[in-house]
Amino acid sequence: MVAKINTLLLGDAMIPGKDFETALKKYLSSYVDKVYVGNWEENWDNLQKRRLAVEKNGPEIEEVDPLIIEHGKEISMLLGLFVPVSKKAMDFMPNLKIIGVSRAGVENVNVEEATKKGILVFNVEGRNAEAVSDFAIGMILAECRNIARAHYAIKNGMWRKEFPNSDWIPELKGKTVGIIGFGYIGRLVAKKLSGFDVERLVYDPYVNEEDIYAADCIPADKETIFKKSDFITLHARLTQENKNFIGEKELSLMKPTAYIINTARAGLINQEALINALKTKKIAGAALDVFWEEPLPSDSELLKLDNVTLTSHLAGTTKEALTRSPELLAEDILRFFQGNKARFIVNPSVLEIPEFKAWLEGVVK
């Protein structure tokens, strides 16, 4: 081995830098020289506000982290979770070759700029897939069976028996569930729903129909999903192309006894259209873990509705999802250094850049 890598680890309140350091030592210690460890944002409430702003507007809205400014010229690899890696940040790291974020989304990384600069970007797909898929099914049951509403009533001295859907409270058996997005999470939701004996329709234009059939599900077009489903659960990424994917038209196609579940991204649904559908009872209800503004404003109309279940962006937050993800990231980078096929490279075109090839040869020779 000719060269070792100086590395900066920037965790946060959700996954601290020391957890990335533990993963680095376990998998990549033989490739690493100097290691600098810190946290981008240590306050939990601030982290939620800042990361949501970055996810909506991109990393360029944030100032460069002080540790990047201090050590940037030495750094060849940067690992973290929500730390914004903007063009400004990359300019402070002229020798940077690898960016790794231990999350599926890469909204906090300017991937286009990284590719231009010959920097390879890693993410971790499926790190919280088990957690989110569990939660989505829990939200289906909580909303249609009024679990949260009954709990709230009892805590407030009421023995409540009447609910907005009292005339059609459903069992899951025999119902149709529409799954929008068939990546890691969508596939796990389908698998876990199989035990409920439901029909599972899938809409994902990026997945081959054969793969959907192989999972014992039925591919369906968008209109069919909304017309036939008793429950629609969202598991797609938010892109410019699918922002407001669900609006007044789609909601108007749904049965008045149907429910929509969103544990993915709020921007997939038009907020005004959803609130109107709930207020006018065009649909039976919704269960939401993600919102257009977080925390949910105190004057939000959602708080006035009795046919919606609300949770505070909790779906992906389990002990296993958090502790597992830095190791998955470090393990994949190790796989790459050892000449094996990495699973989580975001911009593989960088692998063909001569300067990157030369750097990599110096690291793994």
Side-chain angles (χ1 to χ4, degrees), residues 5-64:
I5 304 168
N6 293 335
T7 303
L8 176 57
L9 309 174
L10 282 174
D12 50 50
M14 186 173 285
I15 304 180
K18 62 181 178 61
D19 288 1
F20 285 94
E21 186 176 22
T22 299
L24 194 79
K25 289 178 179 177
K26 181 175 180 179
Y27 291 98
L28 295 168
S29 59
S30 61
Y31 293 92
V32 171
D33 188 12
K34 294 179 183 177
V35 179
Y36 302 100
V37 183
N39 292 304
W40 167 58
E41 176 55 76
E42 295 182 319
N43 179 279
W44 184 267
D45 291 336
N46 289 344
L47 176 64
Q48 303 315 306
K49 293 174 185 176
R50 292 176 77 183
R51 75 175 179 113
L52 184 63
V54 168
E55 287 177 2
K56 286 182 176 179
N57 303 294
E60 304 300 331
I61 66 169
E62 281 278 353
E63 296 299 319
V64 179

Side-chain angles (χ1 to χ4, degrees), residues 189-230:
V189 168
K191 179 181 178 182
K192 293 172 183 181
L193 281 172
S194 65
F196 288 93
D197 198 16
V198 296
E199 180 180 56
R200 291 158 295 159
L201 305 181
V202 171
Y203 174 80
D204 191 325
Y206 303 102
V207 175
N208 293 327
E209 288 192 355
E210 292 77 11
D211 292 338
I212 296 172
Y213 282 121
D216 201 23
C217 298
I218 301 169
D221 59 33
K222 186 177 179 181
E223 183 172 337
T224 301
I225 285 275
F226 283 92
K227 282 185 173 180
K228 285 197 62 177
S229 297
D230 298 293

Side-chain angles (χ1 to χ4, degrees), residues 300-311:
S300 171
E301 291 190 75
L302 289 170
L303 297 173
K304 304 172 187 175
L305 298 173
D306 196 31
N307 57 346
V308 60
T309 297
L310 309 173
T311 54

Side-chain angles (χ1 to χ4, degrees), residues 51-85:
R51 75 175 179 113
L52 184 63
V54 168
E55 287 177 2
K56 286 182 176 179
N57 303 294
E60 304 300 331
I61 66 169
E62 281 278 353
E63 296 299 319
V64 179
D65 188 89
L67 281 178
I68 293 177
I69 296 173
E70 182 180 355
H71 300 293
K73 290 183 179 179
E74 303 175 59
I75 299 304
S76 296
M77 182 163 67
L78 171 65
L79 306 182
L81 179 60
F82 293 120
V83 56
V85 191

Side-chain angles (χ1 to χ4, degrees), residues 75-218:
I75 299 304
S76 296
M77 182 163 67
L78 171 65
L79 306 182
L81 179 60
F82 293 120
V83 56
V85 191
S86 61
K87 179 183 184 302
K88 296 176 292 186
M90 293 179 212
D91 288 343
F92 277 97
M93 297 179 284
N95 299 307
L96 189 65
K97 296 300 179 189
I98 289 178
I99 298 167
V101 290
S102 59
R103 55 182 304 217
V106 288
E107 294 93 341
N108 56 315
V109 179
N110 188 332
V111 176
E112 182 179 356
E113 189 63 28
T115 304
K116 288 179 184 177
K117 291 179 177 292
I119 302 168
L120 195 64
V121 179
F122 285 79
N123 66 346
V124 178
E125 294 187 10
R127 73 170 179 97
N128 60 2
E130 292 287 353
V132 176
S133 57
D134 287 352
F135 200 90
I137 292 171
M139 290 286 263
I140 289 173
L141 293 168
E143 173 56 26
C144 76
R145 299 300 303 275
N146 302 296
I147 294 170
R149 282 184 278 277
H151 171 82
Y152 179 82
I154 291 172
K155 295 282 280 189
N156 286 275
M158 296 175 285
W159 194 256
R160 188 176 177 186
K161 290 286 192 176
E162 293 296 321
F163 301 96
N165 64 341
S166 288
D167 292 337
W168 62 81
I169 294 174
E171 295 178 356
L172 291 192
K173 183 176 181 179
K175 300 301 186 294
T176 297
V177 180
I179 301 170
I180 295 177
F182 208 56
Y184 285 94
I185 297 172
R187 290 168 195 248
L188 279 173
V189 168
K191 179 181 178 182
K192 293 172 183 181
L193 281 172
S194 65
F196 288 93
D197 198 16
V198 296
E199 180 180 56
R200 291 158 295 159
L201 305 181
V202 171
Y203 174 80
D204 191 325
Y206 303 102
V207 175
N208 293 327
E209 288 192 355
E210 292 77 11
D211 292 338
I212 296 172
Y213 282 121
D216 201 23
C217 298
I218 301 169

